[in-house]
Amino acid sequence: MSENTEPAVDLNLALAHGLSSEEYEKVRAILGRTPSYTELGIFSLMWSEHCSYKSSRIHLKRFPTTGPQVLQGPGENAGAIDIGGGLAAIFKMESHNHPSYVEPYQGAATGVGGILRDIFTMGARPIASLNSLRFGSPDHPRMRYLLGGVVGGIAGYGNCVGVPTVGGEVAFHPSYNGNILVNVLNLGIAHAGRIFRGQARGPGNSVFYVGSRTGRDGIHGASLLASASFEADSQTKRPTVQVGDPFAEKLLLEACLELMKTDAIIGIQDMGAAGLTSSSVEMAGRGGTGIDLDLDRVPVREEGMTPYEMMLSESQERMLVIVRRGSEEKVRQIFRKWDLEGVPVGEVSAGGSLRVHFRGKRVADIPVKPIADGAPLLKRPMERPAWQDEVGRLDLTGLKDVVHPPKALKGLLGSLNLCSREWIYRQYDHMVRTNTVVRPGSDAAVIRIKGSPHALALTTDCNGRYCYLDPRSGARIAVAEASRNLACSGAVAQALTDCLNFGNPERPEVMWQFSECVDGIGEACRALEIPVISGNVSFYNETEGKGIFPTPTIGMVGIIEDARLAMRSFFCKEADVVVLLGETGEELGGSEYLSQAHRLEAGPLPVLDLEREEAVQLACIEAIGEGLVSSAHDCAEGGIAVALAESCFHPEGMLGAEVTLPAGRRLDAILFGETQSRILLSLPKFNLGKLEKICQDREAPFSLLGAVGGSRLKIHVGEEAVINTALTELKRPWAEALPAWMV
Amino acid sequence: MKVRVTVLYKKGVLDPQGKTILSSLHQLGYKEVTDVRAGKVLELSLPKMGKAQLEKRVKEMCDKLLANPVIEDYQFEVAE
Amino acid sequence: MKVRVTVLYKKGVLDPQGKTILSSLHQLGYKEVTDVRAGKVLELSLPKMGKAQLEKRVKEMCDKLLANPVIEDYQFEVAE
Amino acid sequence: MKFGIVVFPGSNCEHDCYHVVKHVLRQEACFLWHKDRTLAGSDCVILPGGFAHGDYLRCGAMAKFSPIMETVARFAKEGGPVLGICNGFQILTESGLLPGALVRNRSLHYLCLDLTLRVETTNSPFTAQIPPGKVLKMPVGHGEGCYFADAKTLKRLEVEGRIAFRYCDSKGNLTEESNPNGSLLSIAGVLNERGNVMGFMPHPDRCAESILGNEDGRLIFESVIAATQGH
Ligand SMILES: Nc1ncnc2c1ncn2[C@@H]1O[C@H](COP(=O)(O)OP(=O)(O)O)[C@@H](O)[C@H]1O
Ligand SMILES: [Mg+2]
């Protein structure tokens, strides 16, 4: 399509691009004229929900984002923290929900590719990924296909690039029937003094295009796919999904890291969603400069591509690099070595405008500042849903207590939400790079840092049901649980990234859920002193007016001082004593048990006292740090009974336990209630005194439950033996549920 | 009878395998090859049946399972 | 012109993918399918050339790169 | 001694091998770029794991044409020890330096987990230090590790004692369940005729340090070191 056959720009075309009429007027005001077709495309991308965060920005400001460890907070491609020894950990989480629903393998694969680029664009070598997945009802006819495809795609891409996938989470609930969630976290390591940023400085410096060629991939993907709900009839309008090329990504990664050892780079940014447009506008915006682009030089893989298409293409495995003048040859050389494109496509300019040229014509001329910073900022209406009070209530009178606890326990262990995830993580190469000290299957993954005594612990957490029943508390609990998982590995939480998955922000109740969750995260972060350093918002996870459970996934990273002390969650020594940090209340609200045994999703959430939480975690970390402990496991979904059973399932040889829990009013609540701030420890008896002392000093409740040993799990409540079951019998449903369902 | 189903990426969709094989062929000196597309082939064995019936059934299998219309095109033919 | 190269496992080499697709087809109710073999197809674009020349070159490419004679058989035909 | 570790585009365990050789075993190590033709004085060549050329088309299919492979073949012919790990094994079979081929796992899935395997011959530079019949624990990470060769070749391998390792259960028995990928004869590693080239699906590079909970992989590296230094 040549320029004169491009459609004429008017309000209707702008509306079709997803701009509102006010936004279109603002575009005309900024330019002082009607935009060209290409310019309209550029504005529509930059001001899409996905790129501009227009609905969420005013809320995200409420996150705490600073701390002495923070080297880079939100606003760059990823966040960075100091991990000592002159090193930085750089990490971020991102969603690829909609594409994964349409084409699970490629959708998930390109999701991994995108987040990897966000990390290595900052100068870090990616060393670990995690994935947080949500699927619909197990009965839904597409779910097997979706899960198989998503896991295959994550494996296919991550394994090939050589970045281990060391952990994650998976949950099933009908609210995700029409919108599964695929959130991927990646973490890389860089020299703290050599973090690269996405900024275009120094007029006259070259703008290089590196990586794969540009095709007509996913034009309007970011703005339309991620900024509009799915409707049943929209099947045909869905744009194509990109196919990932992990081999090209691997070459791009190595080439970029090699280039980063030179002094050629002024700024660098990946071309992910919104491609050439967002990378050039954002880099010029941060650098306070302009950029001149010559599209005739952009390497393309299809014939007849128009400027509009080139600017909007979302082809994967590409980067834009601002190269110091005089270093061009070095860049060419390195990219030639790796058989990749590496060509200058423009120059940094002083004028403060993005000027795009094609076949001798200027096809776009947009002042950068107003398009980058002037993106609409919406204060969308919020309203607490009318049904919120109702779902928060729970009347237990008339609800029968558990009759056959072993059966109930086996049912929970064999449910898709709680069963073993090994079928998934054994498809992920979780050992490549030989840093994985604690593999998937424990509370948090642990990665040693070669050349440093420290290790990093990583986890992702979120309970969507909690966030639906009480968004603020649910989000607080997600942060607390993530940090507790790290504590169980012996790590002190340093910072978090988030992926906020919500429904349609144009609905006031969704916006209210969002705002509540942001506040919940903020509260917990302040109390536990964990800053938010990066994140991602995914709205419009909605089909035919029905949104998903609000799902603010938390990805968290902590440091273990001495990598050799990294802790796992499995009982491993006969005759160790079993201790509970924290106290078991009788809180059934929101629990997995209620949902499974009584089909009830209701009730007040378990109370989270952040001071108590901190005390328990600190006691756990200190005990591990002093080498007192043999295992540590947090009590989460399924309550203490499930946590005990999981602790017995040591992958290299099961080991049983016999414990006694204090009696109370309801047996189901004692066994399966999800009271917060509880950690199960096992330790040699002679360390008990020291542990008790630590707990006293920290004011963390402490109780002796029993001892490790044998091949059965025996649980007494008060005087009564309520569970006495062979481990093999408990483990079978747990181990077999997922593979059996997948068949 | 045997039906051979060929599934290739749609035109315009990146084909990383095809691209990589092309550059290997070039390195080996087969410069005359200008493009490679890589896909899968599935050879189905079926009892004898009428053409219309066959076409209907195989088309259904392709739409439901063998190809994803979002990124792939398919075609099929009777092989034997 | 376009040449379509089809690469399938030799008889005697296990084809788990074919088997899996077969059982999925059965689950979906396509019981009439009695066997599935899964393989690769490579569509090469070449300039026009004589048949003998073409056969020679493509055969070479297959023997050297496109198929592994230990496990695979290939065949090719002019598609367009 | 000096280990040369070949880097193909898409290799991703080259650093892992380098780390073990250099920092764990305190030997010399260098990277060899696939486009070069020199082994830089290496006493042993390692073809590391990964996805050379993305493993597009077939694993190892394109890597066999890298210029360095001619040099590696010559080195092997002269009796130099060559160890192909995982993707390196696939490259060795594609290049014809080892017989057979590695095809897709029976389960169709990539598999990353610890396995047990049994050493079948100590008559090679890679296994000489391992007690005969010993069961080792090692991780695998592959999607295409199912060893295939025709009946004649398999027979020869057996007769000539060129099956180096077999997957087995923890007691050393060959069982259906302990064969993770469907390999014929449960083969996990094979040797060339002369015994100086070994292809091996498991990852000794991933289990050579106490912090990773397993040091069985050291035995293979230590065997090569002893064999070379014994010369
Ligand atoms: N999608 C996944 N990919 C990799 N590992 C996973 C995945 N889902 C769960 N896991 C692993 O399984 C274990 C159990 O997960 P989860 O039940 O969420 O733990 P917790 O309740 O302690 O947070 C963890 O080690 C986790 O990393
Ligand atoms: Mg969790």
Side-chain angles (χ1 to χ4, degrees):
Chain A
M1 196 191 285
S2 79
E3 219 187 326
N4 48 15
T5 61
E6 283 183 341
V9 174
D10 59 14
L11 177 60
N12 280 334
L13 192 63
L15 294 175
H17 273 72
L19 291 174
S20 66
S21 50
E22 301 88 73
E23 286 165 357
Y24 179 60
E25 273 322 304
K26 198 164 169 195
V27 170
R28 289 177 39 113
I30 288 171
L31 296 176
R33 59 183 161 79
T34 300
S36 71
Y37 185 52
T38 305
E39 288 170 336
L40 178 67
I42 294 175
F43 271 100
S44 79
L45 271 195
M46 288 307 300
W47 289 3
S48 67
E49 186 65 58
H50 186 85
C51 291
S52 73
Y53 287 85
K54 57 186 165 192
S55 305
S56 57
R57 258 189 304 159
I58 54 164
H59 298 286
L60 300 178
K61 280 196 204 119
R62 302 200 296 270
F63 282 148
T65 59
T66 54
Q69 72 278 37
V70 178
L71 298 174
Q72 176 67 57
E76 270 288 337
N77 289 305
I81 54 168
D82 192 331
I83 55 167
L87 298 175
I90 298 187
F91 62 95
K92 181 173 191 275
M93 182 157 44
E94 217 165 63
S95 64
H96 231 211
N97 303 338
H98 290 163
S100 301
Y101 191 80
V102 180
E103 214 308 309
Y105 186 99
Q106 296 297 345
T110 48
V112 174
I115 188 66
L116 285 171
R117 287 193 296 283
D118 273 331
I119 300 307
F120 70 78
T121 197
M122 295 192 68
R125 180 176 278 284
I127 63 160
S129 292
L130 286 89
N131 59 106
S132 170
L133 312 177
R134 296 292 180 283
F135 296 98
S137 162
D139 311 327
H140 189 285
R142 274 190 93 213
M143 282 311 142
R144 261 184 209 88
Y145 162 73
L146 289 173
L147 187 136
V150 164
V151 169
I154 292 172
Y157 205 101
N159 297 356
C160 184
V161 179
V163 177
T165 301
V166 297
E169 52 173 345
V170 192
F172 296 79
H173 188 273
S175 82
Y176 305 102
N177 276 355
N179 291 81
I180 61 170
L181 302 184
V182 176
N183 295 175
V184 182
L185 180 154
N186 185 267
L187 176 142
I189 300 287
H191 289 286
R194 290 200 51 83
I195 294 178
F196 290 82
R197 292 186 167 79
Q199 42 185 249
R201 292 191 195 282
N205 284 324
S206 296
V207 178
F208 262 71
Y209 172 112
V210 303
S212 298
R213 290 166 172 264
T214 296
R216 290 189 177 89
D217 298 287
I219 289 174
H220 269 161
S223 57
L224 295 192
L225 209 50
S227 304
S229 310
F230 276 1
E231 306 307 331
D233 68 347
S234 69
Q235 194 88 27
T236 50
K237 282 184 251 148
R238 287 177 191 170
T240 56
V241 174
Q242 287 92 272
V243 168
D245 184 352
F247 174 52
E249 179 104 333
K250 168 72 174 165
L251 300 181
L252 185 61
L253 160 67
E254 297 300 337
C256 286
L257 292 183
E258 191 170 327
L259 182 61
M260 284 162 171
K261 288 186 188 148
T262 72
D263 63 352
I265 301 179
I266 302 282
I268 176 167
Q269 179 156 338
D270 80 294
M271 289 191 240
L276 208 43
T277 289
S278 66
S279 54
S280 53
V281 170
E282 288 174 16
M283 286 216 279
R286 294 194 198 101
T289 54
I291 283 185
D292 286 343
L293 286 180
D294 180 1
L295 295 184
D296 297 300
R297 298 162 85 173
V298 169
V300 290
R301 65 162 208 271
E302 290 184 69
E303 273 167 39
M305 286 193 66
T306 65
Y308 177 91
E309 291 170 331
M310 282 192 244
M311 290 306 291
L312 271 59
S313 162
E314 295 189 353
S315 289
Q316 303 283 302
E317 291 93 23
R318 306 178 299 160
M319 294 260 191
L320 204 63
V321 189
I322 310 298
V323 172
R324 191 183 306 282
R325 204 184 340 202
S327 300
E328 291 84 356
E329 195 41 43
K330 222 180 285 175
V331 180
R332 281 204 190 85
Q333 232 175 15
I334 290 174
F335 282 85
R336 216 177 298 130
K337 169 181 165 190
W338 291 99
D339 295 321
L340 290 168
E341 305 288 342
V343 292
V345 294
E347 232 182 63
V348 179
S349 69
S353 288
L354 172 70
R355 288 181 301 212
V356 183
H357 306 266
F358 182 66
R359 302 211 173 128
K361 284 213 184 95
R362 182 169 296 171
V363 293
D365 188 345
I366 303 173
V368 168
K369 223 178 150 38
I371 188 175
D373 305 342
L377 191 59
L378 302 179
K379 236 179 136 170
R380 294 211 187 259
M382 305 192 288
E383 195 185 321
R384 187 169 196 272
W387 45 262
Q388 196 73 47
D389 285 337
E390 190 146 338
V391 300
R393 273 196 294 269
L394 183 62
D395 185 4
L396 290 175
T397 48
L399 196 76
K400 204 159 172 220
D401 199 345
V402 60
V403 182
H404 194 341
K407 205 167 135 209
L409 176 57
K410 277 185 272 183
L412 283 170
L413 290 169
S415 72
L416 282 184
N417 273 345
L418 298 183
C419 70
S420 165
R421 271 64 178 115
E422 190 190 351
W423 185 88
I424 294 173
Y425 60 69
R426 76 174 184 201
Q427 293 185 53
Y428 301 149
D429 187 344
H430 50 262
M431 301 187 212
V432 61
R433 308 203 63 77
T434 64
N435 297 321
T436 314
V437 173
V438 175
R439 299 177 188 177
S442 213
D443 279 336
V446 178
I447 298 292
R448 58 116 172 237
I449 309 294
K450 289 194 184 102
S452 147
H454 308 322
L456 296 177
L458 305 93
T459 182
T460 68
D461 280 289
C462 181
N463 184 322
R465 189 190 309 113
Y466 284 5
C467 295
Y468 152 77
L469 294 176
D470 179 346
R472 186 182 291 239
S473 300
R476 291 165 87 231
I477 290 176
V479 173
E481 190 190 335
S483 148
R484 198 184 314 137
N485 280 334
L486 298 183
C488 287
S489 71
V492 181
Q494 301 294 311
L496 70 80
T497 180
D498 61 66
C499 207
L500 309 177
N501 307 277
F502 286 80
N504 183 347
E506 294 154 38
R507 287 202 294 130
E509 62 182 58
V510 169
M511 231 29 240
W512 176 81
Q513 291 174 325
F514 183 82
S515 171
E516 286 291 297
C517 283
V518 166
D519 284 331
I521 292 172
E523 278 170 25
C525 285
R526 282 188 193 87
L528 301 172
E529 296 183 61
I530 307 169
V532 178
I533 62 160
S534 58
N536 173 256
V537 178
S538 171
F539 278 128
Y540 297 99
N541 292 290
E542 186 153 314
T543 304
E544 285 159 7
K546 277 172 72 188
I548 57 164
F549 273 172
T551 313
T553 311
I554 302 298
M556 201 180 285
V557 175
I559 295 184
I560 302 175
E561 281 300 316
D562 183 346
R564 292 168 307 178
L565 293 176
M567 190 51 51
R568 295 203 287 171
S569 53
F570 315 109
F571 297 146
C572 53
K573 278 190 213 119
E574 215 41 79
D576 269 1
V577 293
V578 179
V579 161
L580 180 70
L581 303 186
E583 271 167 341
T584 301
E586 293 192 33
E587 297 171 295
L588 265 186
S591 66
E592 192 66 34
Y593 172 78
L594 266 193
S595 154
Q596 288 189 24
H598 297 285
R599 310 237 153 270
L600 245 183
E601 306 201 295
L605 297 186
V607 174
L608 172 66
D609 171 349
L610 285 162
E611 245 174 73
R612 157 77 60 94
E613 180 71 45
E614 191 174 21
V616 165
Q617 289 187 23
L618 288 175
C620 177
I621 294 165
E622 191 176 334
I624 293 171
E626 305 216 332
L628 305 178
V629 175
S630 311
S631 78
H633 187 26
D634 87 308
C635 300
E637 288 86 355
I640 197 164
V642 165
L644 281 163
E646 288 169 344
S647 296
C648 294
F649 300 157
H650 194 298
E652 281 114 51
M654 295 189 284
L655 204 48
E658 177 161 6
V659 299
T660 304
L661 308 174
R665 275 166 304 168
R666 289 190 71 106
L667 189 53
D668 52 6
I670 292 169
L671 292 173
F672 308 120
E674 298 175 4
T675 298
Q676 295 298 300
S677 315
R678 290 182 298 166
I679 295 177
L680 276 176
L681 300 179
S682 71
L683 61 158
K685 196 164 183 184
F686 55 80
N687 286 336
L688 211 47
K690 286 186 191 153
L691 176 65
E692 212 168 346
K693 172 83 172 51
I694 290 173
C695 291
Q696 271 162 11
D697 292 350
R698 298 281 182 195
E699 290 177 33
F702 160 103
S703 55
L704 183 59
L705 300 185
V708 173
S711 57
R712 303 178 76 81
L713 176 62
K714 301 182 194 168
I715 302 179
H716 307 263
V717 172
E719 302 289 292
E720 198 187 346
V722 298
I723 292 174
N724 181 353
T725 313
L727 294 183
T728 46
E729 206 184 310
L730 291 175
K731 189 170 177 183
R732 198 173 316 116
W734 178 79
E736 289 175 2
L738 192 52
W741 179 73
M742 279 308 297
V743 166
Chain B
M1 57 205 296
K2 293 222 164 117
V3 175
R4 184 164 285 182
V5 180
T6 308
V7 183
L8 287 166
Y9 282 136
K10 284 193 163 138
K11 289 244 162 64
V13 174
L14 175 71
D15 174 7
Q17 301 231 30
K19 187 183 73 172
T20 311
I21 295 167
L22 178 66
S23 85
S24 282
L25 285 172
H26 284 179
Q27 274 166 36
L28 291 176
Y30 300 100
K31 306 262 174 185
E32 69 264 40
V33 184
T34 55
D35 193 24
V36 177
R37 291 172 71 200
K40 39 180 195 222
V41 58
L42 302 164
E43 206 183 78
L44 314 179
S45 301
L46 293 150
K48 267 222 168 70
M49 59 176 92
K51 199 174 162 220
Q53 161 83 348
L54 182 91
E55 298 232 320
K56 182 173 158 278
R57 292 294 277 180
V58 177
K59 188 168 176 311
E60 257 183 52
M61 296 180 212
C62 290
D63 290 333
K64 275 202 192 155
L65 179 75
L66 306 178
N68 180 351
V70 177
I71 48 172
E72 294 168 332
D73 282 334
Y74 63 86
Q75 57 184 76
F76 56 87
E77 77 218 335
V78 176
E80 273 169 45
Chain C
M1 57 207 297
K2 296 226 162 110
V3 174
R4 185 164 285 183
V5 180
T6 307
V7 183
L8 287 167
Y9 278 138
K10 281 189 164 144
K11 293 249 155 67
V13 180
L14 196 69
D15 174 13
Q17 198 186 358
K19 267 207 204 139
T20 306
I21 294 172
L22 179 65
S23 85
S24 300
L25 284 172
H26 284 180
Q27 270 173 34
L28 290 175
Y30 301 99
K31 305 263 177 191
E32 68 263 42
V33 184
T34 55
D35 192 26
V36 177
R37 291 174 70 200
K40 287 182 281 227
V41 59
L42 301 164
E43 202 184 80
L44 314 179
S45 301
L46 294 151
K48 267 223 167 67
M49 59 177 91
K51 196 171 166 227
Q53 161 83 348
L54 181 89
E55 297 232 322
K56 183 172 157 284
R57 293 293 277 181
V58 176
K59 188 168 175 317
E60 253 184 58
M61 295 181 214
C62 289
D63 289 336
K64 270 204 192 159
L65 178 72
L66 302 180
N68 178 349
V70 175
I71 42 170
E72 293 168 331
D73 285 330
Y74 63 85
Q75 59 183 75
F76 57 86
E77 77 215 338
V78 176
E80 275 169 43
Chain D
M1 75 176 276
K2 184 169 180 178
F3 287 83
I5 299 154
V6 179
V7 183
F8 297 98
S11 291
N12 58 34
C13 300
E14 74 273 31
H15 291 284
D16 302 357
C17 291
Y18 186 93
H19 173 75
V20 169
V21 168
K22 178 104 175 212
H23 301 296
V24 181
L25 297 163
R26 310 262 163 213
Q27 304 294 314
E28 259 185 272
C30 66
F31 290 120
L32 305 170
W33 182 235
H34 75 117
K35 286 181 186 168
D36 292 339
R37 291 175 185 277
T38 165
L39 302 184
S42 303
D43 304 301
C44 171
V45 173
I46 297 179
L47 307 186
F51 288 73
H53 297 272
D55 275 357
Y56 295 162
L57 189 60
R58 288 185 315 280
C59 308
M62 300 181 210
K64 71 169 178 245
F65 296 112
S66 287
I68 194 128
M69 285 309 290
E70 278 176 38
T71 321
V72 171
R74 214 174 312 122
F75 178 74
K77 212 168 153 212
E78 289 159 5
V82 176
L83 173 61
I85 300 171
C86 198
N87 197 222
F89 187 6
Q90 294 160 341
I91 295 169
L92 288 172
T93 57
E94 279 283 339
S95 324
L97 289 171
L98 288 175
L102 292 144
V103 298
R104 209 144 160 205
N105 294 350
R106 197 172 29 185
S107 67
L108 295 177
H109 291 142
Y110 188 97
L111 269 186
C112 179
L113 74 177
D114 277 335
L115 294 173
T116 39
L117 40 137
R118 192 174 81 189
V119 63
E120 300 288 305
T121 172
T122 54
N123 191 17
S124 89
F126 311 99
T127 55
Q129 302 288 312
I130 308 175
K134 185 169 163 78
V135 174
L136 304 177
K137 186 172 90 172
M138 276 193 210
V140 291
H142 61 247
E144 272 134 334
C146 172
Y147 186 78
F148 175 87
D150 59 32
K152 221 174 95 199
T153 310
L154 289 174
K155 186 90 214 158
R156 256 193 83 185
L157 289 175
E158 250 188 325
V159 170
E160 295 173 8
R162 289 163 54 194
I163 299 173
F165 289 93
R166 283 179 151 136
Y167 304 109
C168 63
D169 67 16
S170 58
K171 299 192 177 67
N173 303 310
L174 306 180
T175 64
E176 181 83 354
E177 302 82 68
S178 60
N179 181 352
N181 48 32
S183 288
L184 297 183
L185 305 181
S186 292
I187 288 176
V190 296
L191 295 160
N192 67 346
E193 281 175 47
R194 197 168 161 175
N196 64 315
V197 176
M198 181 168 89
F200 190 48
M201 280 322 287
H203 275 281
D205 47 328
R206 295 182 180 186
C207 54
E209 287 173 89
S210 61
I211 190 159
L212 300 177
N214 179 1
E215 296 181 87
D216 283 358
R218 287 178 75 128
L219 288 169
I220 290 185
F221 296 101
E222 282 165 355
S223 293
V224 193
I225 295 169
T228 307
Q229 287 169 348
H231 272 187

